[in-house]
Amino acid sequence: MENTNPKVDQFVNNASHWKDELVALREIVLSCGLQEELKWKQPCYTHNTKNIVIYGGFKEYCSLNFIKGALLKDEHSLLVRQTDNVQSGRQLRFTNLQQIEDQKAIIKAYLFEAIEVEKAGLKVPNTQSKNLDLSEELVAIMDKDAEFKTAFNALTPGRQRGYNLFFTAAKQSKTRASRVESNVQRIKNGFGLNDCTCGHSKRKPTCDGSHKYL
């Protein structure tokens, strides 16, 4: 295979599950002319530095994950939305190597369509409600701290949603309140849940992880 990345070589060679399937997916993706990188500890394929697709293995399946899969036509009804909270990404899932071999032409068609979506500069519209169902604990602190309320409302919708999902994920009220309180200063400083003090995201490779988090 041409244009391979040594870091991805290591990722695939060290795979304890789905190794044959990952090798097959890698070959198909590279045949579509994408640039191979390693991001978020997973093989990521880009076109003009824009992320197109990543792949990896899970317990019950391996998958090819299209970053803007929601914009694909999905003519064969194969794409899977991983959770209700996922707006943009969609997966092609496989449970054996033969599935990948049988669907090679379809996989390539989806990849080429994903490249064209990125070339066109298309974006996935935000379909989630702008009015979040905020946790009671978050609202309680807002009521007591006007500066905090103003800061939270000034965050981007994505950052507001990220915090609220994190707060409401806790089952106990005490834990939810603790999560809110521990992020008050971050929110007042305008940082998202996954932002470090330099403004980078923990999930983005531009941050080397050496920065201190509030």
Side-chain angles (χ1 to χ4, degrees):
M1 291 183 287
E2 297 181 356
N3 301 320
T4 58
N5 186 306
K7 293 181 179 180
V8 178
D9 289 338
Q10 185 177 9
F11 174 92
V12 174
N13 290 334
N14 292 340
S16 57
H17 300 290
W18 308 108
K19 185 172 183 177
D20 291 341
E21 287 80 4
L22 295 180
V23 169
L25 288 175
R26 185 187 191 190
E27 183 177 347
I28 293 171
V29 176
L30 285 174
S31 71
C32 295
L34 294 173
Q35 180 69 36
E36 183 175 74
E37 302 179 40
L38 191 72
K39 297 182 179 181
W40 310 288
K41 298 182 179 180
Q42 287 184 295
C44 178
Y45 296 83
T46 63
H47 176 77
N48 290 336
T49 73
K50 300 295 184 180
N51 300 324
I52 302 296
V53 68
I54 61 177
Y55 61 71
F58 297 87
K59 183 177 180 180
E60 298 180 351
Y61 60 87
C62 65
S63 65
L64 193 62
N65 307 293
F66 293 86
I67 304 300
K68 293 184 178 180
L71 297 178
L72 302 184
K73 296 177 182 178
D74 193 18
E75 294 179 350
H76 300 275
S77 300
L78 295 173
L79 293 176
V80 178
R81 185 179 185 181
Q82 194 168 12
T83 70
D84 291 339
N85 291 324
V86 174
Q87 292 192 75
S88 182
R90 296 292 187 272
Q91 298 179 330
L92 285 178
R93 295 180 176 179
F94 310 96
T95 56
N96 58 68
L97 180 60
Q98 192 60 49
Q99 285 182 331
I100 297 173
E101 295 295 337
D102 291 344
Q103 297 179 22
K104 185 178 293 186
I106 295 175
I107 295 170
K108 284 188 176 182
Y110 278 50
L111 285 165
F112 284 127
E113 184 183 356
I115 294 171
E116 292 304 314
V117 164
E118 192 56 56
K119 284 182 178 179
L122 302 181
K123 297 183 182 298
V124 178
N126 188 343
T127 58
Q128 293 191 4
S129 173
K130 294 182 179 180
N131 298 317
L132 295 176
D133 186 13
L134 302 178
S135 72
E136 295 180 2
E137 296 75 16
L138 175 59
V139 173
I141 295 180
M142 280 182 166
D143 290 341
K144 292 188 297 183
D145 189 337
E147 181 186 355
F148 171 71
K149 181 177 182 179
T150 299
F152 184 86
N153 289 332
L155 295 174
T156 63
R159 283 174 171 160
Q160 291 181 16
R161 186 167 57 254
Y163 274 119
N164 196 54
L165 286 171
F166 175 62
F167 299 152
T168 56
K171 295 181 179 180
Q172 297 184 1
S173 177
K174 181 179 179 180
T175 305
R176 292 194 294 270
S178 176
R179 288 185 177 186
V180 177
E181 291 169 358
S182 65
N183 282 281
V184 166
Q185 192 58 51
R186 288 179 58 79
I187 292 171
K188 286 184 176 181
N189 288 343
F191 293 112
L193 182 65
N194 294 301
D195 294 339
C196 69
T197 54
C198 68
H200 291 148
S201 168
K202 295 179 189 176
R203 294 179 182 149
K204 292 182 179 179
T206 48
C207 183
D208 61 9
S210 62
H211 301 283
K212 293 182 179 180
Y213 294 85
L214 295 176

